[in-house]
Amino acid sequence: MKASNLLHVPVTMLLSLVLFSCSKQDLPAPKLENTVAATNTAAAATVASNSWMSALADNTNIAAISIPGTHDSGARVEPVSGTAKCQDLSIADQLEAGIRYLDIRCRHIDNAFAIHHGAIYQNLNFDDVLTACKTFLTNHPKEVIVMSVKEEYDASNNTRTFEQTFDTYVSKYGNIVLGATVPKLGDVRGKIVLLRRFSASTTPKGIDATSWADNTTFTINNGNASLKIQDNYIVNDNSSKWSNVTAMWTESSTNSNSILYINYTSGYKPLIFGIPSITSVSGSINPQIETYFSTHTSGRYGIVPMDFANATRSSAILNTNF
């Protein structure tokens, strides 16, 4: 889902006062400090899920795997119910539950990255995300995290480009893979594989997904990687959204392993005056995911980013690899 569209819609006067009344200048700058400890509170319940990639062969290409993921992975804060929150689990707990695709939205502010969903600061910073990932990968060195990084909301008070600031994080953490091709597991275990949704002057800088289309199903063929992505995030009808999702799964399970499929099950329903309702979609789609994978228990279904991911749905997806 394109979060900037999600949170920049006309709303009623009351909601405007609560959610959208701040201008770019009025919004308080988030304090950039580590705000999340990488605790693994779900570990006891998800022992198999926190190390499932270790059972796959080193020569397995990431494009050939079913990978549970989260949409807008850091979005757990909202001032009005249903309008911005996309996840219940922290980044650390998502990883423990088997999630291996993170969708990270970064606001560039004060030469650093704050995690946002549209205008809403998520009380989380990129350091927090990378620290949680590094801790997890240190404890589970055979796992791999695919991370989509996208610029979010308005840049503020910077003296360098988004790319230059991103490079400082790469230098600091050192475990981010910047290869342009979709790798094999054995080449990237214990690391973060970058899926880049921001422009770059120096390449290779991750798998290039800068030509990401808006609210549709589309392909990216950039000479180094082939991707097919379903990201129909404005959902007027849940049945149509579900048809988009299952059509992609049918294709991914029968098509070439060289194509990386990314199939977003997330979205929002525009209510009166365009007010977004995320739970109107997730409340319908998520139970259908569980039902679908109760019968489709084996196959290649690509990356599946979800809203409000949990260990049950994550396990159902990852278990199709075995």
Side-chain angles (χ1 to χ4, degrees), residues 113 126-127 129-131 133-134 137 144-149 165-179 187-196 198 204-207:
F113 290 164
F126 199 40
D127 274 315
V129 173
L130 294 178
T131 297
C133 291
K134 186 172 184 177
L137 292 170
V144 176
I145 299 168
V146 180
M147 182 183 292
S148 166
V149 176
T165 293
F166 178 81
D167 290 344
T168 67
Y169 287 103
V170 174
S171 298
K172 180 177 180 180
Y173 287 89
N175 65 339
I176 302 174
V177 177
L178 302 180
D187 296 328
V188 292
R189 290 195 190 275
K191 298 183 183 299
I192 298 167
V193 174
L194 174 65
L195 181 75
R196 175 171 56 85
F198 59 90
K205 191 160 285 170
I207 301 168

Side-chain angles (χ1 to χ4, degrees), residues 79-96:
V80 177
S81 179
T83 61
K85 182 179 179 180
C86 297
Q87 304 300 331
D88 291 319
L89 299 179
S90 68
I91 297 295
D93 287 346
Q94 288 174 34
L95 296 172
E96 288 289 330

Side-chain angles (χ1 to χ4, degrees), residues 8-253:
H8 290 273
V9 292
V11 295
T12 61
M13 181 64 71
L14 177 60
L15 186 61
S16 296
L17 290 173
V18 176
L19 182 57
F20 301 109
S21 60
C22 293
S23 68
K24 176 181 175 182
Q25 290 77 20
D26 293 334
L27 284 168
K31 185 178 181 181
L32 290 167
E33 58 184 15
N34 285 346
T35 55
V36 172
T39 56
N40 298 324
T41 58
T46 58
V47 174
S49 295
N50 65 19
S51 56
W52 64 270
M53 283 183 164
S54 65
L56 299 176
D58 281 349
N59 65 353
T60 306
N61 193 283
I62 283 176
I65 309 173
S66 302
I67 300 178
T70 45
H71 155 256
D72 227 313
S73 306
R76 301 174 64 211
V77 174
E78 59 186 359
V80 177
S81 179
T83 61
K85 182 179 179 180
C86 297
Q87 304 300 331
D88 291 319
L89 299 179
S90 68
I91 297 295
D93 287 346
Q94 288 174 34
L95 296 172
E96 288 289 330
I99 297 298
R100 295 294 178 271
Y101 172 85
L102 299 178
D103 177 6
I104 304 300
R105 314 293 178 95
C106 301
R107 182 188 181 190
H108 193 200
I109 180 169
D110 296 327
N111 288 327
F113 290 164
I115 306 304
H116 268 242
H117 189 175
I120 309 303
Y121 175 52
Q122 293 300 314
N123 298 335
L124 189 72
N125 303 306
F126 199 40
D127 274 315
D128 299 317
V129 173
L130 294 178
T131 297
C133 291
K134 186 172 184 177
T135 298
F136 177 80
L137 292 170
T138 297
N139 293 331
H140 305 284
K142 291 189 176 182
E143 302 303 289
V144 176
I145 299 168
V146 180
M147 182 183 292
S148 166
V149 176
K150 173 182 177 289
E151 184 167 9
E152 187 85 349
Y153 197 54
D154 299 327
S156 176
N157 197 34
N158 300 297
T159 60
R160 58 193 180 194
T161 67
F162 186 95
E163 178 189 7
Q164 289 169 333
T165 293
F166 178 81
D167 290 344
T168 67
Y169 287 103
V170 174
S171 298
K172 180 177 180 180
Y173 287 89
N175 65 339
I176 302 174
V177 177
L178 302 180
T181 60
V182 181
K184 295 179 180 179
L185 281 177
D187 296 328
V188 292
R189 290 195 190 275
K191 298 183 183 299
I192 298 167
V193 174
L194 174 65
L195 181 75
R196 175 171 56 85
R197 292 184 62 183
F198 59 90
S199 61
S201 60
T202 303
T203 57
K205 191 160 285 170
I207 301 168
D208 184 358
T210 53
S211 58
W212 198 284
D214 185 46
N215 188 39
T216 189
T217 300
F218 58 98
T219 58
I220 296 175
N221 294 297
N222 56 37
N224 293 304
S226 296
L227 296 79
K228 187 160 186 180
I229 300 161
Q230 183 280 122
D231 189 20
N232 300 68
Y233 62 84
I234 300 176
V235 182
N236 293 297
D237 177 69
N238 285 330
S239 295
S240 295
K241 173 66 176 181
W242 183 243
S243 294
N244 291 330
V245 170
T246 55
M248 179 75 87
W249 282 335
T250 298
E251 180 178 332
S252 64
S253 64

Side-chain angles (χ1 to χ4, degrees), residues 274-290:
I275 300 170
S277 175
I278 296 169
T279 51
S280 291
V281 178
S282 62
S284 170
I285 298 298
N286 282 347
Q288 294 184 78
I289 296 173
E290 295 180 23

